[in-house]
Amino acid sequence: MTTKLDYRWHLREVMATRGMFSTTDLRPLLAERGIDLSASQIYRLVVERPERLSLTTLMALLDILQCRMEDLIEPVAARASGRKAAAAGGDSTAAGVGEYRPKRARITPAGE
């Protein structure tokens, strides 16, 4: 079976090492390179992990931050979901919520 890959996005950390601590610092620098993103788009790009990213935006970020792609994007092995791991014979003592779920209360009339 092939290993599924995932990634970590390090834009915020790379910006911090370059002395850029605000997402608004990127907007004029991207605009100089022909990338016109709204303030909210830039905020999401910095704070969240992008699912889609144009190559022109990626190349502009690499140019602005004077870094390589490996500095921004770190490939990692994807984690298996808890359900699939348990079904595949995972450790039954693994931390889960199954035994900690609340029990439904039974309400009986006062006279019984």
Side-chain angles (χ1 to χ4, degrees), residues 80-96:
S81 69
R83 238 176 242 246
K84 289 180 182 177
D91 184 11
S92 62
T93 61

Side-chain angles (χ1 to χ4, degrees), residues 10-84:
H10 297 291
L11 178 58
R12 181 174 236 166
E13 292 88 353
V14 173
M15 284 176 60
T17 62
R18 307 301 193 273
M20 299 173 72
F21 299 101
S22 176
T23 59
T24 56
D25 294 340
L26 272 182
R27 192 167 193 192
L29 299 172
L30 286 169
E32 287 174 7
R33 289 158 178 84
I35 309 295
D36 185 32
L37 298 176
S38 69
S40 64
Q41 288 173 315
I42 293 173
Y43 177 81
R44 286 193 310 265
L45 182 66
V46 173
V47 175
E48 299 173 5
R49 191 179 86 151
E51 292 298 319
R52 291 183 302 253
L53 181 65
S54 77
L55 290 177
T56 24
T57 304
L58 178 61
M59 291 296 118
L61 289 171
L62 296 176
D63 183 46
I64 290 166
L65 299 168
Q66 295 296 302
C67 64
R68 297 180 316 181
M69 204 167 346
E70 298 84 28
D71 299 328
L72 287 180
I73 304 167
E74 176 189 357
V76 294
R79 290 190 223 176
S81 69
R83 238 176 242 246
K84 289 180 182 177

